[in-house]
Amino acid sequence: MNLKCLLVFSLFLFNYTAFCQSAESKPNVIVILADDLGTLDLNCYGSKDLATPNLDQLAREGVRFTRFYAAAPVCSPSRAALLTGKSNLAAGLPGNVPIPEQDAAGEFGLPTKQVTMAEMLKDQGYYTALIGKWHLGHREDKLPNAQGFDYFFGHQRGCIDNYSHFFFWSGPNKHDLFRNAEEVYYPGQYFSDLMVDEVNGILEEKKDNPFFIYWAINVPHYPYQATPKWLDHYKNSPSPRKEYAAFVSTMDERIGMVLDKLKDLGLDENTIVVFQSDHGHSREERAFGGGGNAGPYRGCKFSLFEGGIRVPAIIKYPKAIPANTVRDQMVSALDWLPTIAALTHAQVPDTQVEGKSLLPVIESGSTSSSHEVLNWQFGSFDDQKSSWAVRQGDWKLLGNPNDPSTDVKFTEKDRLFLVNLVADQSESNNLAGQHPEKVKALQALHKQWLKSISASE
């Protein structure tokens, strides 16, 4: 080999080695978002009647948060916030996205200008995929492939039958299963298994390159369609707990299949795995009126009481995060984007991101929460017409509260509902009349937050 060829070969070898080291140094990322999972519905969160060994193992191998808040108590706003690191209002999505037949202009959905976690990681050379539920818009510029995802397999609307893959709601009950923009058909095949096949297929195909998989698993959202194995396991439990529990264990088992695949491929050590629920459990008619468990916490899906927004959340990354660790600080789904940015050395894409990196909290249980104040609002941008809440320290103020988990009717005097979460974790007693100064201070904080969001648009 002459000197020129030797130099060319050496340069090639150097660049290839640098490329491999760069690819290897970038951790893979899998974000698993459960759908309508109750506050305490994992063994590691205190459930005594559920079998969730795989998520319990994930918690033992990583960090589990006990005061983790979803960004909204309903599906679309919660998902928009998770993907952007902004509150749903700042992300431009106050409420659930309606079906396309009710949105002829295509105005509803995550605005194209918002930068998602997928776009952030794509800019870092990641392959990006969404498997499962989208529910963030139906027009072409609001679908996954226009929001940073190289690949999408799943349903665009809020829920589907898991065997026919038809939209599970009042009409029109249309088929809703897509691969990217192409409608695909797998009649009779169980959607949870299809999702596992898709995720594991990506792990196989992309194992030598950094990847980001957002697995928006549509479980345990109704319709409750567990596998026969788990239906039999819970057959002696009362309804609707048994239907719900069987579906939760079905989800846990499918998540275990993916976690096992990571280990089989030798990807486990270099993969960040995040898990959370999008909000609390459902009490809707299609969910048999319930099944989930918020324990001592009041509320459920659609409610800003703790049972609607306080959710299970876990992160595992063996290279940088301690194992078998519990953190009690107040944290939020908004925090995943900046946390993943820090772990992947990505640039946080937007100066208006409201989330804070969780790494200081993860590193020390004595570190103060990065959030002095947390705010919520959903339904509209008008706080007179929407449910909203603000929490500072032990105090929480709810505006226009609702609680679908009970038949309690709120009166005009409850329009502002003040609680101290240490003295009254069940949020049973409205202290607004006893502490008007605290109501005024918290209401001012919420108004200030709304003003800051309006100014940033």
Side-chain angles (χ1 to χ4, degrees), residues 324-437:
N324 203 26
T325 300
V326 177
R327 290 290 179 257
D328 300 318
Q329 294 97 321
M330 182 176 72
V331 293
S332 165
L334 305 178
D335 300 333
W336 288 133
L337 185 142
T339 303
I340 290 169
L343 290 171
T344 60
H345 306 292
Q347 183 71 36
V348 173
D350 190 328
T351 57
Q352 302 299 323
V353 162
E354 296 168 83
K356 311 290 184 183
S357 172
L358 290 170
L359 294 186
V361 167
I362 288 170
E363 289 167 5
S364 172
S366 61
T367 299
S368 298
S369 169
S370 300
H371 298 281
E372 181 185 350
V373 178
L374 281 178
N375 281 278
W376 297 264
Q377 184 165 311
F378 76 101
S380 79
F381 291 95
D382 184 348
D383 62 338
Q384 299 301 308
K385 300 177 181 178
S386 303
S387 288
W388 57 268
V390 54
R391 176 170 180 177
Q392 182 183 44
D394 299 336
W395 291 94
K396 179 178 171 186
L397 179 68
L398 297 94
N400 308 310
N402 70 310
D403 181 8
S405 68
T406 72
D407 295 326
V408 173
K409 303 298 182 185
F410 293 98
T411 64
E412 178 59 26
K413 70 180 180 62
D414 291 322
R415 189 180 65 80
L416 293 174
F417 198 101
L418 179 70
V419 296
N420 184 296
L421 289 168
V422 172
D424 180 20
Q425 66 174 347
S426 66
E427 299 174 285
S428 301
N429 302 308
N430 185 0
L431 302 178
Q434 300 174 40
H435 299 278
E437 74 293 342

Side-chain angles (χ1 to χ4, degrees), residues 392 397 436-446:
Q392 182 183 44
L397 179 68
E437 74 293 342
K438 181 60 68 173
V439 170
K440 184 177 179 180
L442 290 174
Q443 193 170 19
L445 286 174
H446 189 71

